[in-house]
Amino acid sequence: MSDLAAALAGVLDAAPAPKPAPGDRLAAVLALLVGADEPDVVFTERAAMLSRHAGEMSFPGGLRDPDDADLRATALRETAEELGIEVAAGAVLGALPPVHTYVSGILVTPFVAALPELPVLTVSEAEIARVIRVRLRELAAVEEQRVVREANGMTWRGWWYVSANTTVWGATGFMLHALLELVRKEAPWAVT
């Protein structure tokens, strides 16, 4: 993992400063890469009773709090709240480009962190239905771009990842695609 972490740290944004459009809110998530030889990606399934994106797969994270020093602090705080783990700021390698969620008007900055192993979790049942890990290599192998035509005539194009345990798509699919593209370019051994 140290080779992968080093390769990604050199190309991820160390100090992202996304500019939200009027009316948009800022949020941050944390894509956790776990393991040394064949890293896994950690996903959370959002609880069914949540008002936004219920039941969808995501990375731990949420809206920026006024007390958060920056978006990295938001991602770390939200990960602690949702998974009950403290990820050291030094484990954060940097950020991917922000992704806009048009349905909810949120500009999300995805941070990437590398951990040798996943600590014992204390999951917030109010926010998280389940936590799963999927091999980075498996996600690269099942990546598929899809086009969805909606009843109103609109077309949505995005990235889908269907594995034995889950389906990832939407904003998280875009974030995962950006991560995989970097890995393919900077550390291809991690996905081949």
Side-chain angles (χ1 to χ4, degrees):
M1 176 66 99
S2 61
D3 290 343
L4 175 59
L8 293 179
V11 294
L12 291 167
D13 189 345
K19 305 285 188 253
D24 282 349
R25 295 170 292 166
L26 290 174
V29 297
L30 190 62
L32 290 165
L33 300 176
V34 178
D37 297 327
E38 290 200 36
D40 293 342
V41 181
V42 176
F43 296 99
T44 58
E45 181 180 324
R46 294 174 53 83
M49 71 285 264
L50 293 175
S51 62
R52 289 186 315 269
H53 309 288
E56 292 182 12
M57 298 307 293
S58 65
F59 296 121
L63 292 171
R64 183 174 185 179
D65 188 290
D67 295 333
D68 293 339
D70 56 20
L71 288 168
R72 179 186 313 253
T74 299
L76 294 173
R77 175 185 53 76
E78 287 282 345
T79 299
E81 290 175 6
E82 293 178 8
L83 301 182
I85 60 173
E86 299 291 331
V87 176
V92 178
L93 307 174
L96 296 162
V99 173
H100 191 270
T101 61
Y102 293 96
V103 172
S104 49
I106 299 172
L107 186 60
V108 184
T109 300
F111 288 86
V112 179
L115 300 175
E117 59 187 46
L118 190 62
V120 174
L121 304 179
T122 305
V123 177
S124 167
E125 293 178 7
E127 296 183 77
I128 306 299
R130 67 181 173 132
V131 177
I132 66 159
R133 294 169 61 162
V134 183
R135 291 260 189 250
L136 186 63
R137 184 171 281 127
E138 179 183 349
L139 292 163
V142 300
E143 181 177 66
E144 174 184 0
Q145 189 174 37
R146 292 188 185 179
V147 176
V148 176
R149 298 190 197 301
E150 298 178 6
N152 63 6
M154 299 292 290
T155 300
W156 181 87
R157 182 182 312 271
W159 298 96
W160 291 65
Y161 303 84
V162 180
S163 73
N165 294 340
T166 190
T167 299
V168 176
W169 64 283
T172 305
F174 278 100
M175 294 173 205
L176 181 56
H177 174 71
L179 174 60
L180 286 169
E181 286 293 281
L182 275 183
V183 172
R184 288 181 184 112
K185 182 178 177 188
E186 304 296 331
W189 66 86
V191 292
T192 55

